[in-house]
Short mmCIF file of all heavy atoms in Angstrom, two decimals:
data_model
loop_
_atom_site.label_atom_id
_atom_site.label_comp_id
_atom_site.label_asym_id
_atom_site.label_seq_id
_atom_site.Cartn_x
_atom_site.Cartn_y
_atom_site.Cartn_z
N ILE A 1 -1.39 -10.40 -24.21
CA ILE A 1 -0.31 -9.94 -23.47
C ILE A 1 -0.86 -8.47 -22.86
O ILE A 1 -0.66 -8.30 -21.68
CB ILE A 1 0.97 -9.66 -24.24
CG1 ILE A 1 1.61 -10.97 -24.48
CG2 ILE A 1 1.97 -8.72 -23.52
CD1 ILE A 1 2.84 -10.74 -25.46
N VAL A 2 -1.36 -7.69 -23.72
CA VAL A 2 -1.93 -6.35 -23.30
C VAL A 2 -3.04 -6.53 -22.19
O VAL A 2 -2.97 -5.92 -21.17
CB VAL A 2 -2.47 -5.53 -24.41
CG1 VAL A 2 -3.13 -4.32 -23.96
CG2 VAL A 2 -1.31 -5.14 -25.30
N LYS A 3 -3.91 -7.40 -22.40
CA LYS A 3 -5.02 -7.77 -21.52
C LYS A 3 -4.45 -8.20 -20.20
O LYS A 3 -4.94 -7.78 -19.06
CB LYS A 3 -6.04 -8.77 -22.14
CG LYS A 3 -7.34 -8.88 -21.35
CD LYS A 3 -8.29 -9.76 -21.97
CE LYS A 3 -9.59 -9.94 -21.13
NZ LYS A 3 -10.45 -10.83 -21.96
N GLY A 4 -3.55 -9.23 -20.28
CA GLY A 4 -2.81 -9.59 -19.04
C GLY A 4 -2.29 -8.53 -18.16
O GLY A 4 -2.36 -8.40 -16.98
N LEU A 5 -1.57 -7.61 -18.83
CA LEU A 5 -1.00 -6.50 -18.13
C LEU A 5 -1.92 -5.57 -17.57
O LEU A 5 -1.73 -5.03 -16.44
CB LEU A 5 0.09 -5.69 -19.01
CG LEU A 5 1.21 -6.50 -19.68
CD1 LEU A 5 1.93 -5.50 -20.72
CD2 LEU A 5 2.26 -6.72 -18.58
N LEU A 6 -3.03 -5.17 -18.28
CA LEU A 6 -3.97 -4.27 -17.79
C LEU A 6 -4.83 -4.80 -16.71
O LEU A 6 -5.33 -4.13 -15.90
CB LEU A 6 -4.78 -3.79 -18.97
CG LEU A 6 -4.13 -2.97 -20.17
CD1 LEU A 6 -5.13 -2.60 -21.11
CD2 LEU A 6 -3.36 -1.78 -19.50
N LEU A 7 -5.11 -6.18 -16.80
CA LEU A 7 -6.00 -6.72 -15.71
C LEU A 7 -5.24 -7.28 -14.54
O LEU A 7 -5.83 -7.73 -13.58
CB LEU A 7 -6.79 -7.99 -16.36
CG LEU A 7 -7.83 -7.55 -17.44
CD1 LEU A 7 -8.51 -8.74 -17.94
CD2 LEU A 7 -8.81 -6.58 -16.93
N CYS A 8 -3.88 -7.22 -14.56
CA CYS A 8 -3.13 -7.60 -13.42
C CYS A 8 -3.40 -6.86 -12.16
O CYS A 8 -3.44 -5.64 -12.23
CB CYS A 8 -1.70 -7.52 -13.76
SG CYS A 8 -0.51 -8.13 -12.45
N LYS A 9 -3.63 -7.57 -11.10
CA LYS A 9 -3.98 -6.84 -9.80
C LYS A 9 -2.80 -7.21 -8.90
O LYS A 9 -2.65 -8.47 -8.50
CB LYS A 9 -5.31 -7.23 -9.20
CG LYS A 9 -6.48 -6.83 -10.02
CD LYS A 9 -7.79 -7.27 -9.48
CE LYS A 9 -8.97 -6.68 -10.21
NZ LYS A 9 -10.35 -7.11 -9.67
N TRP A 10 -2.13 -6.25 -8.45
CA TRP A 10 -0.99 -6.54 -7.37
C TRP A 10 -0.99 -5.40 -6.33
O TRP A 10 -0.34 -4.47 -6.40
CB TRP A 10 0.36 -6.54 -8.20
CG TRP A 10 1.56 -7.11 -7.45
CD1 TRP A 10 2.72 -6.52 -7.37
CD2 TRP A 10 1.51 -8.49 -6.71
NE1 TRP A 10 3.52 -7.54 -6.54
CE2 TRP A 10 2.79 -8.64 -6.20
CE3 TRP A 10 0.60 -9.46 -6.59
CZ2 TRP A 10 3.27 -9.65 -5.55
CZ3 TRP A 10 0.89 -10.62 -5.85
CH2 TRP A 10 2.29 -10.65 -5.28
N PRO A 11 -1.80 -5.70 -5.45
CA PRO A 11 -2.09 -4.59 -4.41
C PRO A 11 -0.76 -4.31 -3.56
O PRO A 11 -0.01 -5.00 -3.44
CB PRO A 11 -3.15 -5.21 -3.46
CG PRO A 11 -3.64 -6.44 -4.14
CD PRO A 11 -2.64 -6.85 -5.06
N GLY A 12 -0.78 -2.97 -3.20
CA GLY A 12 0.21 -2.62 -2.29
C GLY A 12 1.51 -2.00 -2.90
O GLY A 12 2.46 -1.63 -2.17
N ARG A 13 1.59 -2.20 -4.26
CA ARG A 13 2.78 -1.67 -4.91
C ARG A 13 2.28 -0.60 -6.00
O ARG A 13 1.61 -0.87 -6.84
CB ARG A 13 3.36 -2.95 -5.69
CG ARG A 13 4.04 -3.91 -4.91
CD ARG A 13 3.15 -4.85 -4.45
NE ARG A 13 3.82 -6.04 -3.66
CZ ARG A 13 3.20 -7.08 -3.18
NH1 ARG A 13 1.82 -6.99 -2.95
NH2 ARG A 13 3.94 -7.99 -2.51
N MET A 14 2.57 0.61 -5.71
CA MET A 14 2.04 1.77 -6.33
C MET A 14 0.61 1.77 -6.66
O MET A 14 0.16 1.82 -7.82
CB MET A 14 3.06 1.90 -7.68
CG MET A 14 4.44 2.13 -7.36
SD MET A 14 5.33 2.51 -8.96
CE MET A 14 6.94 2.92 -8.16
N GLN A 15 -0.16 1.48 -5.63
CA GLN A 15 -1.66 1.34 -5.73
C GLN A 15 -2.41 2.66 -5.33
O GLN A 15 -1.98 3.12 -4.18
CB GLN A 15 -2.05 0.16 -4.80
CG GLN A 15 -3.48 -0.14 -4.92
CD GLN A 15 -4.03 -1.06 -3.80
OE1 GLN A 15 -3.25 -1.60 -3.09
NE2 GLN A 15 -5.31 -1.33 -3.72
N CYS A 16 -3.21 2.97 -6.06
CA CYS A 16 -4.18 4.13 -5.61
C CYS A 16 -5.57 3.52 -5.19
O CYS A 16 -6.11 2.67 -5.77
CB CYS A 16 -4.45 5.09 -6.87
SG CYS A 16 -2.91 5.72 -7.43
N LEU A 17 -5.95 3.99 -4.12
CA LEU A 17 -7.32 3.64 -3.55
C LEU A 17 -8.03 4.84 -3.07
O LEU A 17 -7.66 5.41 -2.02
CB LEU A 17 -6.96 2.56 -2.32
CG LEU A 17 -8.15 1.72 -1.76
CD1 LEU A 17 -8.69 0.76 -2.90
CD2 LEU A 17 -7.62 0.78 -0.63
N ARG A 18 -9.19 5.01 -3.60
CA ARG A 18 -10.07 6.19 -3.25
C ARG A 18 -11.02 5.72 -2.12
O ARG A 18 -11.63 4.70 -2.22
CB ARG A 18 -10.99 6.62 -4.42
CG ARG A 18 -10.16 6.73 -5.72
CD ARG A 18 -9.04 7.80 -5.71
NE ARG A 18 -8.28 7.85 -6.93
CZ ARG A 18 -7.17 8.63 -6.99
NH1 ARG A 18 -6.78 9.43 -5.98
NH2 ARG A 18 -6.52 8.67 -8.16
N SER A 19 -11.19 6.56 -1.10
CA SER A 19 -12.00 6.35 0.11
C SER A 19 -12.71 7.65 0.49
O SER A 19 -12.49 8.74 -0.01
CB SER A 19 -11.12 5.84 1.21
OG SER A 19 -10.49 6.85 1.83
N SER A 20 -13.67 7.50 1.45
CA SER A 20 -14.44 8.57 1.95
C SER A 20 -13.59 9.56 2.64
O SER A 20 -13.97 10.72 2.84
CB SER A 20 -15.58 8.01 2.76
OG SER A 20 -15.00 7.47 3.94
N ILE A 21 -12.34 9.22 3.12
CA ILE A 21 -11.60 10.20 3.89
C ILE A 21 -10.31 10.65 3.10
O ILE A 21 -9.55 11.41 3.64
CB ILE A 21 -10.97 9.47 5.17
CG1 ILE A 21 -10.07 8.28 4.88
CG2 ILE A 21 -12.11 8.97 6.15
CD1 ILE A 21 -9.45 7.77 6.20
N GLY A 22 -10.24 10.26 1.82
CA GLY A 22 -9.27 10.73 0.95
C GLY A 22 -8.81 9.62 0.08
O GLY A 22 -9.32 8.59 -0.03
N SER A 23 -7.76 9.96 -0.74
CA SER A 23 -7.02 9.12 -1.59
C SER A 23 -5.85 8.57 -0.98
O SER A 23 -4.95 9.29 -0.57
CB SER A 23 -6.75 9.85 -2.89
OG SER A 23 -7.88 10.44 -3.56
N PHE A 24 -5.86 7.21 -1.11
CA PHE A 24 -4.62 6.49 -0.49
C PHE A 24 -3.69 6.15 -1.69
O PHE A 24 -4.13 5.59 -2.74
CB PHE A 24 -5.14 5.14 0.28
CG PHE A 24 -5.70 5.49 1.70
CD1 PHE A 24 -6.91 5.84 1.69
CD2 PHE A 24 -4.88 5.50 2.84
CE1 PHE A 24 -7.60 6.09 3.06
CE2 PHE A 24 -5.40 5.68 4.00
CZ PHE A 24 -6.73 6.05 4.16
N PHE A 25 -2.41 6.27 -1.24
CA PHE A 25 -1.32 5.90 -2.27
C PHE A 25 -0.44 4.96 -1.57
O PHE A 25 0.27 5.29 -0.45
CB PHE A 25 -0.65 7.18 -2.74
CG PHE A 25 -1.58 8.15 -3.37
CD1 PHE A 25 -2.10 9.19 -2.76
CD2 PHE A 25 -1.79 8.03 -4.81
CE1 PHE A 25 -3.07 10.05 -3.25
CE2 PHE A 25 -2.64 8.98 -5.28
CZ PHE A 25 -3.20 9.95 -4.66
N LEU A 26 -0.53 3.66 -1.82
CA LEU A 26 0.14 2.63 -1.13
C LEU A 26 1.23 2.01 -1.82
O LEU A 26 1.12 1.60 -2.94
CB LEU A 26 -0.89 1.56 -0.72
CG LEU A 26 -2.12 1.97 0.02
CD1 LEU A 26 -3.31 1.80 -0.98
CD2 LEU A 26 -2.49 1.09 1.28
N ASP A 27 2.52 2.04 -1.25
CA ASP A 27 3.66 1.51 -1.93
C ASP A 27 4.62 0.97 -0.76
O ASP A 27 4.95 1.78 0.06
CB ASP A 27 4.37 2.42 -2.75
CG ASP A 27 5.50 1.77 -3.73
OD1 ASP A 27 5.13 0.87 -4.27
OD2 ASP A 27 6.61 2.14 -3.44
N GLY A 28 4.97 -0.40 -0.80
CA GLY A 28 5.63 -0.91 0.20
C GLY A 28 7.21 -0.63 0.09
O GLY A 28 7.94 -1.45 0.38
N ALA A 29 7.72 0.51 -0.30
CA ALA A 29 9.00 0.90 -0.53
C ALA A 29 9.82 0.74 0.68
O ALA A 29 9.34 1.36 1.64
CB ALA A 29 9.12 2.29 -1.13
N HIS A 30 10.85 0.01 0.73
CA HIS A 30 11.63 -0.15 1.85
C HIS A 30 13.21 -0.13 1.78
O HIS A 30 13.82 -0.37 2.58
CB HIS A 30 11.22 -1.48 2.58
CG HIS A 30 11.49 -2.59 1.68
ND1 HIS A 30 10.57 -3.10 0.81
CD2 HIS A 30 12.63 -3.49 1.54
CE1 HIS A 30 11.06 -4.19 0.15
NE2 HIS A 30 12.27 -4.32 0.54
N THR A 31 13.56 0.39 0.47
CA THR A 31 14.95 0.65 0.32
C THR A 31 15.16 2.08 -0.22
O THR A 31 14.00 2.74 -0.57
CB THR A 31 15.64 -0.32 -0.70
OG1 THR A 31 14.99 -0.03 -2.11
CG2 THR A 31 15.42 -1.84 -0.48
N ILE A 32 16.29 2.58 -0.27
CA ILE A 32 16.56 3.98 -0.72
C ILE A 32 16.03 4.15 -2.04
O ILE A 32 15.32 5.05 -2.55
CB ILE A 32 18.07 4.36 -0.62
CG1 ILE A 32 18.46 4.34 0.94
CG2 ILE A 32 18.20 5.81 -1.16
CD1 ILE A 32 19.87 4.58 1.13
N GLU A 33 16.35 3.21 -2.95
CA GLU A 33 16.12 3.25 -4.49
C GLU A 33 14.48 3.08 -4.67
O GLU A 33 13.97 3.93 -5.34
CB GLU A 33 16.76 2.17 -5.26
CG GLU A 33 18.31 2.32 -5.31
CD GLU A 33 19.03 1.74 -4.03
OE1 GLU A 33 18.28 1.18 -3.17
OE2 GLU A 33 20.32 1.98 -3.93
N SER A 34 13.85 2.18 -3.87
CA SER A 34 12.57 2.05 -4.00
C SER A 34 11.77 3.30 -3.50
O SER A 34 10.67 3.64 -4.02
CB SER A 34 12.04 0.68 -3.42
OG SER A 34 12.30 0.69 -2.10
N MET A 35 12.36 3.90 -2.43
CA MET A 35 11.59 5.08 -1.84
C MET A 35 11.68 6.28 -2.92
O MET A 35 10.87 7.01 -3.02
CB MET A 35 12.29 5.39 -0.55
CG MET A 35 11.67 6.59 0.20
SD MET A 35 9.83 6.16 0.45
CE MET A 35 9.91 5.03 1.84
N GLU A 36 12.77 6.37 -3.61
CA GLU A 36 13.12 7.43 -4.60
C GLU A 36 12.01 7.19 -5.62
O GLU A 36 11.35 8.07 -6.26
CB GLU A 36 14.38 7.33 -5.14
CG GLU A 36 15.46 7.80 -4.18
CD GLU A 36 16.77 7.60 -4.82
OE1 GLU A 36 16.99 6.99 -5.82
OE2 GLU A 36 17.89 8.22 -4.17
N SER A 37 11.76 5.95 -6.04
CA SER A 37 10.58 5.65 -7.12
C SER A 37 9.33 5.88 -6.60
O SER A 37 8.51 6.47 -7.26
CB SER A 37 10.82 4.19 -7.56
OG SER A 37 12.14 3.79 -8.14
N CYS A 38 9.02 5.60 -5.33
CA CYS A 38 7.71 5.87 -4.66
C CYS A 38 7.52 7.36 -4.58
O CYS A 38 6.29 7.71 -4.90
CB CYS A 38 7.79 5.32 -3.22
SG CYS A 38 6.37 5.65 -2.30
N ILE A 39 8.49 8.18 -4.27
CA ILE A 39 8.28 9.59 -4.24
C ILE A 39 7.93 10.16 -5.62
O ILE A 39 7.06 10.97 -5.68
CB ILE A 39 9.51 10.29 -3.69
CG1 ILE A 39 9.61 9.88 -2.14
CG2 ILE A 39 9.52 11.70 -3.78
CD1 ILE A 39 10.87 10.38 -1.53
N SER A 40 8.78 9.70 -6.57
CA SER A 40 8.48 10.15 -7.99
C SER A 40 6.97 9.78 -8.42
O SER A 40 6.36 10.58 -9.01
CB SER A 40 9.48 9.53 -8.93
OG SER A 40 9.25 9.99 -10.21
N TRP A 41 6.64 8.56 -8.10
CA TRP A 41 5.33 8.23 -8.45
C TRP A 41 4.23 8.92 -7.73
O TRP A 41 3.27 9.30 -8.37
CB TRP A 41 5.13 6.67 -8.11
CG TRP A 41 3.71 6.15 -8.11
CD1 TRP A 41 2.94 5.88 -9.07
CD2 TRP A 41 3.03 5.76 -6.91
NE1 TRP A 41 1.70 5.37 -8.65
CE2 TRP A 41 1.64 5.33 -7.31
CE3 TRP A 41 3.27 5.84 -5.48
CZ2 TRP A 41 0.67 4.88 -6.45
CZ3 TRP A 41 2.26 5.37 -4.67
CH2 TRP A 41 1.11 4.99 -5.05
N PHE A 42 4.45 9.15 -6.42
CA PHE A 42 3.34 9.90 -5.55
C PHE A 42 3.28 11.30 -6.18
O PHE A 42 2.05 11.76 -6.27
CB PHE A 42 3.84 9.89 -4.17
CG PHE A 42 2.84 10.69 -3.29
CD1 PHE A 42 1.64 10.33 -2.94
CD2 PHE A 42 3.38 11.94 -2.75
CE1 PHE A 42 0.76 10.96 -2.20
CE2 PHE A 42 2.51 12.56 -1.93
CZ PHE A 42 1.17 12.13 -1.65
#
């Protein structure tokens, strides 16, 4: 169970991605509640 949780890859949902131009923080929040969660996470 732990291994499954840790190895799970679900891009675009609270995802951090490091690049040469900076750190990307990607989250497809599109409701008020999900945007609040996105801001808190960011």
Side-chain angles (χ1 to χ4, degrees):
I1 286 176
V2 171
K3 190 175 181 181
L5 293 175
L6 296 180
L7 293 181
C8 178
K9 294 181 179 180
W10 195 229
R13 290 81 170 178
M14 295 187 178
Q15 178 192 1
C16 300
L17 193 62
R18 313 296 177 186
S19 80
S20 62
I21 64 173
S23 297
F24 283 85
F25 302 90
L26 305 108
D27 188 58
H30 57 271
T31 66
I32 297 173
E33 293 81 9
S34 59
M35 185 58 73
E36 290 173 352
S37 298
C38 172
I39 290 171
S40 176
W41 164 74
F42 178 69

